Amino acid sequence: MQCMAATTPELERGYAEVAGRAFKRPGEMRDHILKWMKRPRYSHAHTRIVVDNDAVVGGLAIVELPVRYGDTVLKLGGISCVATDPESQKRGYGRANMEDAVAYMAQNGYDLSFLLGIRDYYYRYGYRTAIVWFECRISPNVYSAKPAPRLRVRRARKSDIPGMAALYEKNGAQCNLSVVREKKDWLWYFDFGRFSDAHVVLNSEKNIVGYLVCRGAGRVDEIGLEDTTEVYETVLAFLQEKAKQAFSTQVAIYTPGENGFARYCLYKKRSTWARWTDYQGGPMLRLFNVEDLFRKIASTLQIRWQRVPRGLQPIAFTLQCPMGSVAIVPTENDLMIKPGAVVGEVVPLPGEAMTELVLGFRPAADIVEDAGACPTAATGALLDAIFPVTTPFLSPTDHM
């Protein structure tokens, strides 16, 4: 058995064939994966395969994405389409494949990795649930909506990319983990079919004032709107008609929790908000190379410290996990990050807890306590201030 990159088109096709059989959609899945290999930033090394007796018996895809964390950009590796040939399962190929992918990312400058997990499996490779999904759920049959006369909705085109991109930047692209999209990403989403059911809202001057990426009648994967009642009502009327035609009684809209449209729906249209996750599966992440990571996010942590009301005792402490150690040295007006150093009280954490802490999944005090660490009250207060609870948002457009 050998774990390796799919360095030739023949090996790539071999993996696509295996995935097709594994997911019981031979032709469709094969073609989907081969087309997926044309995405921006792709290289042969991103298709990790397992070869035994000169045959591809398993594989997975790493999707490289630049994502935001505060004022910096991190390198994320998304794990997709993990597959083992149905006739070769229960032989350790899947485990070897995942271990190889994790090692590849650790050795090639990735800061973190993301996958949609299954219960009680991916934690064994260092992944931990660290995102809470947010959905705005509307029921088209219980609200009324009136489209604005001067607005209209039509299907999106490639020529709409500049307007859509501007709204993407305005409506949630500043969230932690949101993808930094370039024009090539938008073009590829059109070519790949991600935007096959995308629509834009135009005003009377033919300017784009909204867009939404639908997936059928019951789901919206991404939405970007100008914050006006006219735009909100026009989009709600469009979704209402779309749902009625398909006999759908509910529409789930994926959006950042602070989105103005979601709030409007909650208070005006009897919608519901759903925050959900699965602590043994669901959206899972893991960090790599913690010392390099903290060098990149140091400025973001410094900004957080500068915004904290004065009064906390600025004492140095060190976060230590199997992926490295980082000394954090606050002063009255600044925060020094010293990767690889050990200063002051040491707070030992498993790698999974470090992932939760950096991504703000839960209060720092809960994470540290569950990890069995017992920092002083002063250090605990600093952890809460520097690593507050946040709501990262990675659009389904970019990963599903």
Side-chain angles (χ1 to χ4, degrees):
M1 176 173 62
Q2 182 182 7
C3 296
M4 56 187 285
T7 53
T8 67
E10 291 74 23
L11 291 174
E12 289 177 329
R13 187 173 185 84
Y15 159 61
E17 297 279 3
V18 165
R21 292 193 294 273
F23 287 97
K24 296 181 172 59
R25 292 153 51 196
E28 178 190 354
M29 196 70 183
R30 177 201 63 213
D31 295 345
H32 174 91
I33 288 177
L34 291 173
K35 193 172 182 181
W36 186 254
M37 290 173 182
K38 301 183 186 301
R39 65 187 179 272
R41 304 176 196 86
Y42 175 76
S43 80
H44 294 300
H46 294 161
T47 299
R48 312 301 302 178
I49 58 173
V50 183
V51 176
D52 203 1
N53 293 323
D54 297 323
V56 177
V57 292
L60 58 79
I62 296 174
V63 183
E64 183 179 311
L65 294 170
V67 298
R68 291 180 174 86
Y69 185 91
D71 64 347
T72 194
V73 177
L74 303 178
K75 183 178 178 180
L76 178 143
I79 298 292
S80 178
C81 298
V82 182
T84 301
D85 193 294
E87 296 182 0
S88 302
Q89 294 179 352
K90 306 298 183 182
R91 301 181 190 178
Y93 295 140
R95 172 178 285 276
N97 197 191
M98 278 299 302
E99 290 175 347
D100 168 70
V102 168
Y104 169 81
M105 288 185 285
Q107 295 163 10
N108 286 275
Y110 287 81
D111 299 298
L112 68 169
S113 177
F114 170 88
L115 56 79
L116 293 175
I118 54 178
R119 288 187 63 83
D120 301 319
Y121 182 70
Y122 287 104
Y123 70 87
R124 64 187 73 176
Y125 306 108
Y127 288 84
R128 172 63 63 89
T129 302
I131 294 182
V132 176
W133 283 143
F134 181 91
E135 291 179 11
C136 173
R137 297 174 181 172
I138 60 175
S139 300
N141 57 337
V142 301
Y143 71 77
S144 61
K146 185 177 181 180
R150 69 185 195 91
L151 300 180
R152 67 185 182 94
V153 180
R154 65 156 169 79
R155 197 168 293 276
R157 308 164 183 161
K158 287 184 179 180
S159 59
D160 298 325
I161 287 175
M164 295 170 70
L167 288 168
Y168 172 76
E169 291 298 316
K170 181 180 178 181
N171 285 258
Q174 302 309 315
C175 294
N176 285 347
L177 296 190
S178 64
V179 174
V180 181
R181 292 185 191 162
E182 300 176 36
K183 184 177 181 180
K184 62 184 178 183
D185 297 300
W186 289 90
L187 288 168
W188 186 76
Y189 285 152
F190 272 101
D191 291 338
F192 185 66
R194 277 286 196 258
F195 291 158
S196 60
D197 198 12
H199 294 77
V200 293
V201 183
L202 303 176
N203 62 17
S204 54
E205 289 78 38
K206 298 184 179 180
N207 296 320
I208 295 174
V209 294
Y211 80 94
L212 60 162
V213 180
C214 301
R215 188 176 293 196
R219 175 169 153 178
V220 177
D221 279 354
E222 182 173 311
I223 192 163
L225 307 174
E226 293 287 352
D227 289 316
T228 71
T229 301
E230 284 187 332
V231 174
Y232 292 169
E233 286 288 316
T234 300
V235 168
L236 284 165
F238 170 78
L239 290 174
Q240 188 175 54
E241 184 61 29
K242 188 177 179 69
K244 285 180 179 178
Q245 291 177 2
F247 302 99
S248 178
T249 59
Q250 189 175 77
V251 179
I253 303 169
Y254 287 85
T255 174
E258 299 305 312
N259 183 279
F261 177 72
R263 291 184 178 276
Y264 182 83
C265 292
L266 178 67
Y267 294 110
K268 295 288 188 178
K269 303 298 179 182
R270 295 168 58 189
S271 72
T272 58
W273 286 4
R275 299 173 186 265
W276 63 272
T277 193
D278 179 346
Y279 204 57
Q280 293 297 322
M284 306 181 78
L285 295 104
R286 64 154 294 160
L287 304 181
F288 302 105
N289 308 314
V290 161
E291 294 176 8
D292 290 339
L293 171 67
F294 271 79
R295 289 187 181 94
K296 294 181 180 180
I297 68 174
S299 60
T300 295
L301 302 183
Q302 289 163 351
I303 291 170
R304 289 179 184 171
W305 175 245
Q306 290 164 4
R307 292 173 178 170
V308 172
R310 297 301 89 174
L312 290 181
Q313 185 180 358
I315 58 174
F317 63 94
T318 298
L319 295 174
Q320 198 168 67
C321 77
M323 296 175 286
S325 61
V326 181
I328 298 178
V329 185
T331 65
E332 193 64 32
N333 299 308
D334 199 7
L335 185 73
M336 291 181 284
I337 306 297
K338 299 184 175 182
V342 177
V343 181
E345 180 182 9
V346 175
V347 182
L349 296 172
E352 296 85 353
M354 184 71 87
T355 297
E356 287 191 72
L357 186 71
V358 169
L359 293 174
F361 180 61
R362 296 188 288 151
D366 291 349
I367 296 171
V368 171
E369 180 181 357
D370 288 351
C374 300
T376 63
T379 298
L382 290 170
L383 284 168
D384 281 330
I386 299 168
F387 299 99
V389 174
T390 61
T391 307
F393 182 73
L394 182 60
S395 170
T397 302
D398 295 304
H399 65 77
M400 288 187 180

